[in-house]
Amino acid sequence: MTTATLAHDNLLEVRNLRKYFGKGSHPVRAVDDVSFSIRKGETLGLVGESGSGKSTIGRLLTRLVDPTDGEMLYQPAASEATPRDLADLSQAQFRPLRSKIQIIFQDPYASLNPRMRIRDVLGEALDTHGLAKGSARKPRIEQLLQQVGLRPEHADRYPHEFSGGQRQRIGIARALAVEPQFIVADEPLSALDVSIQAQVVNLLGELKEQLGLTLLFISHDLDVVEYLCDRVVVLYLGRVMEIAPTESLYANPRHPYTRALLAAAPIPDPAQRRVVPLLQGDLPSPANPPSGCVFRTRCPMAEERCASADMQLREVQSGHWHACWRDDL
Ligand code: ADP
Ligand code: MG
C-alpha cells in the first residue's frame, strides 16, 4: 500500500481505481484502472457519454460504493503527515470524513423526504455531525438558506412547495450544512429547465469561491464544463482518454474520442447547448470491453496495432495527457 505524500497542491489522488460490478468471468467494468488528481480549490470536470462510469467514480469518492481495487488518497491539510486512502477505510472509519466529502445529485427531490420541512432536512444533516446545536441551530439554517439564494421563511415549507431549481438549492444547502471541503456534483443541472441551469451553475461557482471548496463537476454538457471547470477528465468505457486544462482541451483536443465529443457543430439557439452527441455505433458492453484501446471499435483513426496496445496516458503538453499514441492529431 502506497503512503507517499501527495503533490503539495493536491487534495486527492486517485490511483488505478477499479470498480467491477458482479462476479464471475465477465463483471461490468464500470471503472477500470482510472488515475487522476484533484487540486485544492479547483473545479475538475468529469465528462463522457452515459455509461462511461462518471457516477460510479463520484460514488466511489464518497464511498457510497466500495472500490474493487486502487487508491483514493486524500490529504485535507498539508500539515497532515500522510494522506488517507479512502479506498482502504471501513465504512465506520470513513464516517467522520463524510462531513468533509459531500455529494449533490441530479434529482434532489428523490433524496428529500416529502414529509420533512426544510428546517428538519437541514437540521438532520447538522445533527448527523453534531453541528450548530441549541440556539445556534436557527441562525445557521437561515444562513444556509441565504447562502443558496433562498429566504429564511422557506425553512418551514415542504419539498413539494419548491420549484426544481429551488429544490436543487436545498440539495446544495444540505451538502453545505456539514461544512464540506470537497463536493461531488453529479449532473446537478440535468433535471432542471435550461433557463434555471445558469443560475445554479453560477451559484455553485460563487459558493466554491466564497467557501474555498474543491469541486468534482460531473456533466455531459460540454458548454457548462468549459464555463465552470479548471481542468477536465474525459472518460470512455470506464477509462480515462484525456486530461487537460480546460482551455487546452477545448482549443486543442488530442484524443479522437474527445474530438468526436467536441465535434458537434455549434447550435445557434443559445438555449440548446452542446451536449455529448451520440457517436456512431453503440457503446461496447463494459462487461466485455474491446482489447487494447477500448475506443478503437468506434475510432475513425483506428489501426491494427490499437487492438493489442496497452494504452497509457502520455503527457503531450504541460498538464495535457491523452491515451492515444498518435502525435499527428
Ligand atoms: P455514467 O454516470 O457515466 O452514465 P455509471 O457510472 O452510472 O455511468 O455506469 C457505468 C457502468 O456501470 C454502466 O454500464 C452501468 O450500467 C454500470 N453500473 C453502474 N452501477 C451499477 C450497479 N450498481 N450494478 C451493476 N452495474 C452498474
Ligand atoms: Mg451518471
Side-chain angles (χ1 to χ4, degrees):
M1 202 56 27
T2 325
T3 44
T5 51
L6 307 190
H8 96 108
D9 52 352
N10 283 347
L11 179 67
L12 249 160
E13 284 180 17
V14 170
R15 297 183 186 165
N16 310 108
L17 186 63
R18 290 176 207 272
K19 177 63 187 180
Y20 292 0
F21 289 106
K23 304 222 175 325
S25 53
H26 289 287
V28 172
R29 302 183 188 193
V31 175
D32 204 5
D33 199 11
V34 162
S35 301
F36 62 90
S37 59
I38 305 179
R39 298 189 188 132
K40 286 196 183 79
E42 84 170 337
T43 301
L44 182 70
L46 185 56
V47 304
E49 283 163 283
S50 177
S52 56
K54 304 182 298 297
S55 293
T56 303
I57 289 178
R59 295 166 69 83
L60 286 166
L61 290 173
T62 48
R63 284 298 299 270
L64 294 173
V65 293
D66 294 331
T68 303
D69 197 15
E71 295 174 309
M72 302 186 285
L73 302 175
Y74 177 68
Q75 192 161 23
S79 55
E80 291 193 18
T82 51
R84 310 189 67 178
D85 184 1
L86 303 180
D88 211 28
L89 302 178
S90 67
Q91 286 294 339
Q93 288 169 321
F94 184 71
R95 199 163 301 130
L97 285 170
R98 244 180 227 299
S99 67
K100 296 287 153 226
I101 305 175
Q102 287 284 302
I103 186 163
I104 299 169
F105 296 104
Q106 175 176 338
D107 179 7
Y109 199 48
S111 61
L112 292 173
N113 183 339
R115 292 171 204 278
M116 273 167 81
R117 292 177 199 271
I118 300 316
R119 178 181 308 291
D120 300 320
V121 169
L122 298 177
E124 189 182 57
L126 293 168
D127 282 337
T128 313
H129 295 279
L131 296 164
K133 294 186 192 147
S135 62
R137 172 68 40 102
K138 192 163 175 279
R140 175 63 174 146
I141 287 175
E142 292 180 0
Q143 180 193 32
L144 285 164
L145 290 171
Q146 263 156 5
Q147 269 181 331
V148 299
L150 296 172
R151 292 195 304 277
E153 60 267 29
H154 284 137
D156 292 314
R157 298 198 190 156
Y158 290 94
H160 75 265
E161 299 178 69
F162 294 93
S163 67
Q166 288 175 322
R167 286 200 285 259
Q168 191 53 285
R169 289 172 192 268
I170 294 165
I172 295 169
R174 184 173 52 180
L176 294 180
V178 299
E179 298 165 24
Q181 177 175 41
F182 173 52
I183 293 184
V184 175
D186 188 358
E187 309 254 12
L189 311 175
S190 302
L192 305 180
D193 286 348
V194 172
S195 59
I196 305 295
Q197 290 182 4
Q199 294 173 15
V200 174
V201 170
N202 289 334
L203 176 67
L204 280 173
E206 284 162 23
L207 289 169
K208 196 213 101 177
E209 290 303 321
Q210 274 169 27
L211 304 173
L213 301 169
T214 302
L215 206 59
L216 179 68
F217 186 77
I218 299 174
S219 181
H220 61 271
D221 185 328
L222 297 166
D223 283 341
V224 172
V225 168
E226 182 176 18
Y227 174 75
L228 190 68
C229 298
D230 300 301
R231 291 189 308 132
V232 182
V233 175
V234 181
L235 208 62
Y236 179 80
L237 213 64
R239 289 178 169 265
V240 176
M241 299 290 112
E242 188 156 1
I243 301 180
T246 305
E247 250 185 69
S248 183
L249 188 92
Y250 283 75
N252 191 12
R254 304 297 289 255
H255 196 283
Y257 179 60
T258 314
R259 296 190 156 216
L261 290 185
L262 292 171
I267 304 163
D269 176 0
Q272 290 248 337
R273 288 205 303 275
R274 185 168 48 180
V275 297
V276 173
L278 282 177
L279 285 147
Q280 303 230 310
D282 293 330
L283 191 70
S285 164
N288 196 8
S291 67
C293 171
V294 291
F295 184 56
R296 70 180 168 82
T297 54
R298 297 165 82 199
C299 180
M301 335 281 301
E303 306 166 16
E304 223 175 285
R305 57 177 178 164
C306 300
S308 54
D310 175 21
M311 293 315 305
Q312 301 290 333
L313 284 168
R314 289 187 301 124
E315 192 170 21
V316 283
Q317 260 174 44
S318 175
H320 195 144
W321 299 72
H322 77 135
C324 177
W325 46 28
R326 293 189 59 146
D327 272 327
D328 53 335
L329 293 175

